[in-house]
Amino acid sequence: MPPDHPMPRPEAPDMMEHGAPIDGKPQQLDRRMYVQLQLFTDVEDTDELVAAAREHCSSGMVIYGDFNDPLGIGVVSVAEDPALLSGDLRRLVRESAFADLTPVPEFTMVGRTYGSGREQNLEEWLLRQVPQRLADPRMPWAIWYPLRRKPAFYQLERRDSGRILAEHGLLGRTYGEAGLAQDIRLKCFGLDRDDNEFLIGLVGPDLHPLSRLVEDMRQTKQTSEWLESLGPFFVGHRIAAINLP
C-alpha cells in the first residue's frame, strides 16, 4: 500500500478588504461599515421619532419618509459594529415612540461595505463614504433595493465578468459626475433572509434622475442578462440625519 501522506493544511481565508496598490504597496484593511434598512408604518408624529432616535441611538441613522406609504418611514442605520445596529433598534422599539409603530419586516435590507481592489483610498471608501453620502444635505432622495445575480455569473472568466461590471459602473459614474446621483454599494451574502447578494442605495437631489438611472441600468448586460432577482424597492425622502458627519 502507498504510504500515507498528510493532507496539506488549508490556508486561512483572507478577511481583508483590498484597494488599489499605492506606490507598489497593497492597500488592505480588516474594517467595514454595516448598513441596515428597517421600515415602519402607522406613524403619526415624525418629530417624536426623530427625538427618540437622537436620545437612544449611538449608531449613525437616517430617517426617511416612505414615498409609497403616507404613514410609513424608513430607518437606515450605519455602524462599524453590527451589534450596535441591533442594540439601537431594540432600544428604540422597546423604550420610545417607536414601540407604537408597526414594523414591515419584508422590506428589511442589510449589507456591508467592501473593497473591489480598485479603490484609491480604501479607508475612505470603507468607513467614511457611506455616512457622508447618507448625510449629504444636497441629496435628500433615496432608492434602496437588493439584487441577486444568476449563479452562472460567478463561473465567467474574470475578463468577461469585468467587462460586464465595467459597463454597469460607467453608467453610474456618468450620473455621479453630473451631480444627479451617487450610489452606495454593499454586499449582503449570508446576511439577507431572501439570499440577496448586494444592497444598492441611490441618493440624489431629485427623484427623477434616480428613477432614470434604474431605468437605464436595465439596458446593461448585468441587469438584462445576469440578474436573478431585483427588488423590492424602497423610495424615501430624508426627514433627519442623526450621528452622521
Side-chain angles (χ1 to χ4, degrees), residues 165-214:
L165 296 177
E167 177 199 22
H168 203 73
L170 178 61
L171 179 57
R173 286 198 298 274
T174 62
Y175 274 75
E177 291 171 359
L180 297 172
Q182 295 289 346
D183 68 335
I184 295 171
R185 286 178 279 127
L186 309 164
K187 285 184 176 180
C188 55
F189 290 84
L191 304 177
D192 180 85
R193 69 177 188 174
D194 295 321
D195 194 30
N196 287 301
E197 300 168 343
F198 293 88
L199 173 58
I200 308 299
L202 304 176
V203 296
D206 299 296
L207 182 56
H208 172 245
L210 304 185
S211 175
R212 270 293 306 273
L213 177 54
V214 173

Side-chain angles (χ1 to χ4, degrees), residues 90-106:
R90 288 179 183 275
R91 281 190 295 274
L92 280 176
V93 299
R94 283 200 316 262
E95 305 171 9
S96 76
F98 277 78
D100 297 325
L101 307 184
T102 302
V104 189
E106 58 268 28

Side-chain angles (χ1 to χ4, degrees), residues 1-241:
M1 295 180 66
D4 293 333
H5 294 284
M7 292 291 292
R9 176 175 292 182
E11 295 184 7
D14 180 6
M15 292 292 102
M16 295 290 186
E17 307 292 344
H18 297 271
I22 297 179
D23 297 328
K25 297 180 180 179
Q27 285 189 89
Q28 53 185 23
L29 190 66
D30 189 15
R31 296 174 65 187
R32 55 202 56 81
M33 302 296 283
Y34 289 83
V35 180
Q36 185 179 58
L37 169 67
Q38 297 270 5
L39 264 62
F40 300 87
T41 191
D42 298 327
V43 176
E44 295 184 2
D45 186 348
T46 57
D47 290 341
E48 189 176 5
L49 299 178
V50 172
R54 294 191 191 280
E55 179 181 354
H56 291 279
C57 288
S58 302
S59 58
M61 181 176 289
V62 172
I63 298 177
Y64 293 103
D66 188 338
F67 188 66
N68 290 302
D69 178 3
L71 296 178
I73 60 166
V75 178
V76 175
S77 305
V78 56
E80 189 171 349
D81 181 0
L84 189 60
L85 301 185
S86 177
D88 276 355
L89 262 298
R90 288 179 183 275
R91 281 190 295 274
L92 280 176
V93 299
R94 283 200 316 262
E95 305 171 9
S96 76
F98 277 78
D100 297 325
L101 307 184
T102 302
V104 189
E106 58 268 28
F107 271 84
T108 297
M109 306 178 196
V110 62
R112 56 180 172 83
T113 59
Y114 65 96
S116 67
R118 298 185 295 273
E119 291 76 23
Q120 297 301 312
N121 187 329
L122 183 62
E123 184 172 345
E124 173 78 14
W125 174 266
L126 292 173
L127 303 179
R128 292 189 287 274
Q129 187 181 86
V130 169
Q132 289 169 355
R133 289 186 174 180
L134 286 173
D136 191 334
R138 300 167 299 176
M139 299 186 180
W141 285 99
I143 297 178
W144 289 88
Y145 59 94
L147 63 87
R148 181 171 68 251
R149 293 173 180 150
K150 294 180 179 179
F153 180 86
Y154 298 100
Q155 300 299 317
L156 293 174
E157 295 289 339
R158 183 178 292 272
R159 64 177 180 274
D160 295 328
S161 62
R163 282 196 293 267
I164 293 169
L165 296 177
E167 177 199 22
H168 203 73
L170 178 61
L171 179 57
R173 286 198 298 274
T174 62
Y175 274 75
E177 291 171 359
L180 297 172
Q182 295 289 346
D183 68 335
I184 295 171
R185 286 178 279 127
L186 309 164
K187 285 184 176 180
C188 55
F189 290 84
L191 304 177
D192 180 85
R193 69 177 188 174
D194 295 321
D195 194 30
N196 287 301
E197 300 168 343
F198 293 88
L199 173 58
I200 308 299
L202 304 176
V203 296
D206 299 296
L207 182 56
H208 172 245
L210 304 185
S211 175
R212 270 293 306 273
L213 177 54
V214 173
E215 178 184 359
D216 291 347
M217 288 290 188
R218 298 295 172 98
Q219 303 175 43
T220 67
K221 281 188 174 294
Q222 175 178 243
T223 305
S224 63
E225 297 182 16
W226 292 103
L227 286 194
E228 184 78 23
S229 65
L230 187 68
F233 287 78
F234 168 75
V235 182
H237 189 266
R238 186 174 55 226
I239 295 171

